[in-house]
């Protein structure tokens, strides 16, 4: 397409470029929506198919042994729990996408929040022979939504427990950094000394449903949305997050959250 060599032609050329950029953006959004829909359908299909298979076996075999029936029902319950977790995570991400959820901001005591999580996962840590070392300032208060902040730390801990490996250590630390051109921030470091991931996976770890090892991730019961929730919740608080491999092994997440 040719434009006249004057001011009107320049304006027309800019309009056409903007229109094409808008079209490309819409096409990319449509592609991402289709991809997300396909991923959701795929993730829902597995637990639903398992539940249906176990129940059909029970219904079609009236004389099935009680021990076998109980085992199948327990598996159904486990799959229903996974399904519930998946639906909760999808719902939370949708709320983060569609509208601000931080209507109830408050001063959140991160030290007590992390201690609460540590207590909740103590049995899992023991089963994996893992340590959780917390080095946080006593006055560590963050302004934000407690539920979302809980999701940040809980998902990071769950991720390490699932993938760092037996006998590893999780470390959480933070320091205060004052800024001259904005509010003060807490700088957090969350790391483990596990196996880490291949470098080409790092840039995609926060993508929804992205898995480094798909078979192992599903076996561990993960929804594939944990790190996506972490990133979106931190962005919702005005913070930033990045991930890298530790030189000595394991993953390291560096992120910021606003001081209360």
């Amino acid at each position: 397409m040719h434009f006249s060599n004057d001011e009107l032609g320049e304006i027309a050329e800019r309009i056409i470029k903007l229109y094409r950029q808008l079209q490309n953006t819409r096409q990319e959004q449509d592609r991402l929506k289709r991809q997300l829909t396909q991923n959701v359908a795929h993730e829902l299909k597995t637990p639903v198919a398992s539940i249906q298979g176990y129940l059909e076996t029970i219904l079609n075999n009236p004389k099935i042994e009680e021990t076998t029936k109980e085992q199948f029902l327990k598996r159904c319950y486990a799959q229903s729990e996974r399904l519930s977790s998946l639906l909760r995570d999808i719902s939370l991400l949708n709320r983060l996408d569609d509208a601000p959820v931080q209507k109830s901001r408050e001063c959140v005591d991160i030290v007590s929040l992390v201690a609460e999580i540590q207590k909740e996962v103590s049995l899992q840590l023991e089963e994996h022979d893992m340590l959780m070392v917390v080095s946080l300032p006593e006055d560590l208060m963050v302004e934000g939504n407690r539920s979302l902040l809980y999701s940040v730390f809980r998902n990071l801990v769950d991720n390490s427990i699932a993938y760092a490996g037996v006998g590893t250590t999780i470390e959480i630390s933070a320091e205060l950094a004052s800024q001259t051109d904005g509010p003060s921030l807490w700088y957090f470091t969350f790391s483990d000394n596990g196996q880490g991931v291949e470098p080409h996976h790092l840039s995609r770890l926060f993508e929804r449903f992205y898995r480094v090892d798909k078979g192992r991730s599903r076996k561990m019961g993960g929804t594939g949305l944990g790190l996506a929730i972490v990133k979106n919740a931190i962005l919702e608080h005005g913070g930033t997050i990045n991930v890298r491999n530790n030189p000595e092994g394991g993953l390291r997440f560096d992120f910021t959250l606003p001081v209360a």
Side-chain angles (χ1 to χ4, degrees), residues 176-187 238-240 256-259:
L176 182 63
S178 299
Q179 299 187 119
T180 56
D181 58 345
S184 297
L185 296 172
W186 287 108
Y187 279 76
T240 59
T256 62
L257 289 169
V259 174

Side-chain angles (χ1 to χ4, degrees), residues 18-198:
L18 287 172
Y19 173 76
R20 287 174 177 169
Q21 289 174 359
L22 181 61
Q23 288 294 96
N24 290 336
T25 301
R26 285 175 176 170
Q27 289 173 3
E28 179 64 13
Q29 288 176 340
D30 290 340
R31 185 189 69 80
L32 290 174
K33 284 180 180 178
R34 285 196 301 272
Q35 185 181 44
L36 181 60
T37 302
Q38 290 170 354
N39 286 335
V40 170
H42 181 72
E43 295 297 327
L44 292 175
K45 183 170 65 176
T46 303
V48 169
S50 294
I51 293 170
Q52 186 176 18
Y54 288 128
L55 292 178
E56 281 182 355
T57 302
I58 293 172
L59 291 172
N60 293 333
N61 296 274
K63 297 181 180 180
I64 191 170
E65 293 183 3
E66 285 300 317
T67 54
T68 304
K69 181 193 290 187
E70 183 180 359
Q71 184 182 30
F72 283 3
L73 289 174
K74 285 181 178 178
R75 290 176 181 176
C76 282
Y77 181 76
Q79 290 296 330
S80 70
E81 284 284 284
R82 182 186 169 197
L83 194 57
S84 295
S85 296
L86 182 60
L87 293 173
R88 281 196 302 269
D89 286 351
I90 292 172
S91 176
L92 176 55
L93 281 170
N94 284 339
R95 286 191 291 127
L96 284 167
D97 285 343
D98 294 340
V101 297
Q102 291 196 72
K103 294 178 181 178
S104 56
R105 276 178 166 256
E106 58 182 306
C107 294
V108 181
D109 183 347
I110 299 299
V111 175
S112 65
L113 184 145
V114 171
E116 175 186 332
I117 292 172
Q118 190 171 8
K119 185 177 180 180
E120 291 172 352
V121 301
S122 59
L123 184 59
Q124 293 167 273
L125 290 171
E126 186 178 339
E127 288 174 349
H128 289 77
D129 192 25
M130 296 177 72
L131 291 176
M132 185 168 166
V133 179
V134 181
S135 304
L136 299 175
E138 291 183 4
D139 61 341
L140 204 169
M141 303 291 288
V142 167
E143 181 184 357
N145 181 282
R146 193 181 193 283
S147 177
L148 286 184
L149 292 171
Y150 174 90
S151 295
V152 168
F153 291 94
R154 181 58 193 258
N155 278 299
L156 287 173
V157 170
D158 286 345
N159 187 72
S160 286
I161 290 174
Y163 305 113
V166 175
T168 53
T169 300
I170 299 170
E171 294 187 42
I172 307 174
S173 61
E175 61 180 20
L176 182 63
S178 299
Q179 299 187 119
T180 56
D181 58 345
S184 297
L185 296 172
W186 287 108
Y187 279 76
F188 290 86
T189 298
F190 183 100
S191 65
D192 63 58
N193 60 348
Q195 58 188 358
V197 301
E198 293 294 325

Side-chain angles (χ1 to χ4, degrees), residues 224-240:
L225 296 172
L227 293 182
I229 289 174
V230 168
K231 181 177 181 178
N232 280 270
I234 288 174
L235 293 178
E236 183 70 21
H237 284 82
T240 59

